[in-house]
């Protein structure tokens, strides 16, 4: 099942972003991932849960919180 997971995380510099991307890539069953530097948000799609993404980011000492977005039916 494909989920879209969005989490807020501090994106302070290019090194932070590189570290986050490297960590996200290691999560099993992801299809795509993106970092929105303007909104300080990481978006991951695939067979993944919000908890999995947050746990992965916590391992590299990044404080991540879920983004609550209204679900669209499209």
């Amino acid at each position: 099942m494909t989920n879209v997971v969005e989490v807020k995380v501090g994106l302070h510099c290019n090194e932070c972003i590189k570290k986050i991307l490297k960590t996200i890539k290691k999560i099993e069953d992801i299809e795509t991932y993106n970092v929105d530097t303007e909104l300080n948000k990481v978006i991951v799609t695939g067979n993944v849960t919000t908890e999995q993404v947050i746990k992965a980011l916590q391992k590299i000492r990044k404080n991540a919180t879920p983004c609550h977005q209204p679900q669209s039916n499209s």
Side-chain angles (χ1 to χ4, degrees), residues 3-13 15-27 30 32-46 48-58 60 62-69:
N3 297 322
V4 177
V5 173
E6 294 186 10
V7 295
K8 284 238 184 228
V9 64
L11 304 169
H12 306 290
C13 63
E15 285 304 311
C16 290
I17 293 167
K18 281 183 198 173
K19 196 181 258 190
I20 288 168
L21 289 174
K22 186 177 179 181
T23 300
I24 294 294
K25 283 185 217 178
K26 293 179 184 176
I27 299 173
I30 63 167
T32 64
Y33 54 91
N34 192 19
V35 173
D36 186 331
T37 53
E38 287 182 23
L39 297 174
N40 282 335
K41 197 182 329 187
V42 174
I43 302 122
V44 181
T45 61
V48 65
T49 64
T50 303
E51 291 77 24
Q52 285 175 298
V53 175
I54 290 174
K55 261 188 200 171
L57 293 173
Q58 285 175 340
I60 59 165
K62 291 293 173 191
N63 187 22
T65 57
C67 290
H68 296 289
Q69 299 248 132

